[in-house]
């Protein structure tokens, strides 16, 4: 049985169409100055006809290529998404067929913490010996649930996908993972639909989400480092959920990590929910900042609230 679940490949994909802050200011009462200074976001990618599965497929194929394995070698696929293509079947099964895999595949819904929850689940399959090679993806077409007339949310979100291939390993990998949920915050962040009224859009109390995100993720980062007997100086990189630069700066400050050790992609991607962490990870792996053997802290929080962290040796 393998001691660790280790990332052996990363991949990502962004749809080609870019919507800038200036583009948004033509249709809603906002400005590049306001969005940039309050969030750090400059632009986001938006799908035209692509589905969540389409984005996931390219990200997955890129991750499989880097891992050097075929889709038929996978033992499990876990796809984290808030924007599945259909109520059923799971988008993960659409993806399984699209990439030519034959293993079990399921979706996981923990909104912006979805990738952390999926990674943690995959780790358990690998550590128990139930699986050896697992594909974990975060893929979102959030633009389909954004009210483009609501300036308090329309400026934040984008579409995209990120993926990793995990393999059993005895030489490092995930060292610590933790997931948490507290369901009493429904009114702070939700899609205002249910299965009777199908059409719904993101509704958010931005200030409340902001404060809870900073305090939950700072506390969790401190607890994660303590559980591993580590200090923040021993981290090579933090790869946080990309929601707001001010949230990231506040957490980095509290755990005394300089910003040049934090991967930031929200300026170009916006908040892509479950895709944001694997997208940021893949960008930094492919541009050479993240190297094999380095220690990474991944953290994310989303509606529910659900939040979690993964500390790993890359
Ligand atoms: O993935 C997890 C999900 N989401 C998050 O993590 C988001 C967390 N929250 C945030 O990122 C921030 O709270 C926001 C970016 C959403 C809002 O920033 P804020 O600094 O908390 O602004 P605010 O909501 O307190 O609004 C300040 C002012 C208000 O005007 P008044 O009342 O002061 O006159 C808003 O009406 O800014 C106004 N405003 C805007 N102005 C221009 C709100 N949205 C906009 C806008 N453009 N897009």
């Amino acid at each position: 049985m393998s001691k660790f679940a280790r990332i052996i490949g990363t991949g990502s994909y962004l749809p080609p169409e870019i919507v800038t802050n200036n583009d948004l200011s033509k249709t809603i009462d906002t400005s590049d100055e306001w969005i940039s200074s309050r969030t750090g976001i400059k632009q986001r990618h938006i799908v035209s006809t692509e589905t969540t599965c389409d984005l996931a497929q390219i990200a997955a194929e890129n991750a499989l290529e880097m891992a050097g394995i075929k889709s038929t070698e996978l033992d499990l696929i876990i796809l984290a998404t808030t924007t599945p293509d259909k109520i059923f079947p799971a988008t993960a099964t659409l993806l399984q067929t699209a990439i030519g895999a034959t293993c079990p595949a399921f979706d996981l819904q923990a909104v912006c913490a979805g990738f952390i929850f999926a990674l943690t689940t995959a780790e358990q399959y690998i550590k128990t010996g139930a699986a050896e090679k697992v594909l974990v993806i975060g893929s979102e077409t959030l633009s389909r649930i954004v009210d483009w007339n609501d300036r308090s949310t329309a400026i934040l979100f984008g579409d995209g996908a990120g993926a990793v291939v995990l393999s059993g390993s005895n030489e490092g990998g995930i060292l610590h993972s933790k997931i948490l949920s507290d369901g009493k915050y429904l009114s702070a962040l939700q899609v205002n639909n249910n299965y009777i009224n199908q059409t719904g859009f993101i509704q958010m109390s931005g200030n409340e989400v902001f404060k809870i995100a900073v305090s939950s993720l700072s506390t969790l980062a401190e607890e994660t480092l303590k559980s591993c007997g580590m200090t923040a100086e021993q981290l090579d990189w933090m790869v946080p959920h990309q929601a707001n630069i001010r949230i990231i700066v506040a957490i980095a400050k509290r755990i005394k990590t300089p910003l040049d050790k934090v991967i930031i992609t929200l300026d170009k991607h916006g908040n892509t929910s479950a895709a944001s962490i694997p997208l940021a990870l893949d960008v930094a792996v492919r541009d050479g900042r993240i190297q094999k053997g380095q220690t990474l802290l991944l953290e994310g929080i989303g509606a529910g609230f659900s939040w979690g962290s993964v500390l790993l040796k890359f």
Side-chain angles (χ1 to χ4, degrees):
M1 219 143 41
S2 301
K3 210 166 156 209
F4 302 105
R6 185 168 202 155
I7 295 175
I8 59 165
T10 64
S12 62
Y13 180 69
L14 291 157
E17 189 183 336
I18 290 172
V19 175
T20 64
N21 293 346
N22 282 329
D23 292 334
L24 288 177
S25 70
K26 288 176 194 142
T27 53
I28 45 176
D29 181 16
T30 191
S31 63
D32 175 46
E33 201 285 323
W34 193 95
I35 303 170
S36 301
S37 61
R38 299 283 180 136
T39 71
I41 298 166
K42 301 291 288 182
Q43 62 170 52
R44 66 288 293 144
H45 290 248
I46 300 292
V47 288
S48 49
T49 55
E50 303 101 316
T51 63
T52 294
C53 179
D54 292 336
L55 306 186
Q57 179 180 351
I58 301 173
E61 286 169 349
N62 290 340
L64 286 165
E65 190 185 9
M66 188 189 286
I69 68 158
K70 295 193 190 75
S71 59
T72 47
E73 293 174 67
L74 291 169
D75 301 309
L76 181 65
I77 297 170
I78 309 176
L79 189 145
T81 188
T82 311
T83 45
D85 291 329
K86 294 174 182 295
I87 291 175
F88 72 80
T91 307
T93 58
L94 306 177
L95 177 69
Q96 181 230 44
T97 296
I99 63 171
T102 51
C103 60
F106 62 85
D107 286 1
L108 189 152
Q109 218 279 44
V111 203
C112 302
F115 181 74
I116 296 289
F117 274 58
L119 208 53
T120 303
T121 307
E123 180 201 9
Q124 300 307 317
Y125 274 88
I126 289 174
K127 279 174 42 175
T128 56
E132 177 67 18
K133 303 257 184 302
V134 183
L135 174 64
V136 178
I137 310 122
S139 185
E140 301 281 13
T141 49
L142 285 173
S143 58
R144 300 209 163 106
I145 56 165
V146 165
D147 176 353
W148 289 101
N149 296 312
D150 175 8
R151 70 175 182 173
S152 69
T153 54
I155 56 153
L156 298 173
F157 299 100
D159 301 332
V164 300
V165 177
L166 289 167
S167 173
S169 161
N170 289 318
E171 299 158 19
I174 296 178
L175 306 174
H176 183 272
S177 61
K178 180 149 188 178
I179 52 173
L180 302 100
S181 297
D182 186 341
K184 70 173 173 282
Y185 293 100
L186 173 69
S187 61
L189 183 54
Q190 61 170 320
V191 170
N192 63 342
N193 78 331
N194 51 44
Y195 283 118
I196 298 163
N197 164 24
Q198 283 298 322
T199 348
F201 297 115
I202 297 170
Q203 284 180 336
M204 181 177 67
S205 162
N207 275 299
E208 193 181 356
V209 176
F210 189 101
K211 284 182 205 142
I212 293 166
V214 172
S215 107
S216 317
L217 292 183
S218 303
T219 303
L220 181 57
E222 286 168 344
E223 286 172 2
T224 302
L225 289 166
K226 198 171 165 203
S227 306
C228 296
M230 285 177 60
T231 60
E233 291 87 72
Q234 291 169 280
L235 286 179
D236 292 298
W237 295 104
M238 229 178 99
V239 190
H241 172 47
Q242 310 283 317
N244 186 318
I245 190 66
R246 293 187 292 133
I247 295 177
I248 293 175
V249 169
I251 296 166
K253 195 171 165 198
R254 184 153 142 201
I255 68 161
K256 299 186 181 62
T257 294
L259 268 191
D260 59 8
K261 284 169 71 173
V262 183
I263 306 298
I264 294 162
T265 50
L266 58 76
D267 53 332
K268 296 196 178 71
H269 301 174
N271 179 348
T272 57
S273 192
S276 92
I277 295 173
L279 256 164
L281 178 67
D282 185 51
V283 166
V285 168
R286 287 178 191 266
D287 70 20
R289 276 177 291 171
I290 293 181
Q291 305 266 333
K292 197 165 182 218
Q294 289 186 325
T295 304
L296 276 48
L297 176 64
L298 279 45
E299 270 205 319
I301 185 164
F305 289 104
S306 286
W307 67 107
S309 70
V310 170
L311 190 116
L312 61 89
K313 186 74 77 183
F314 189 73

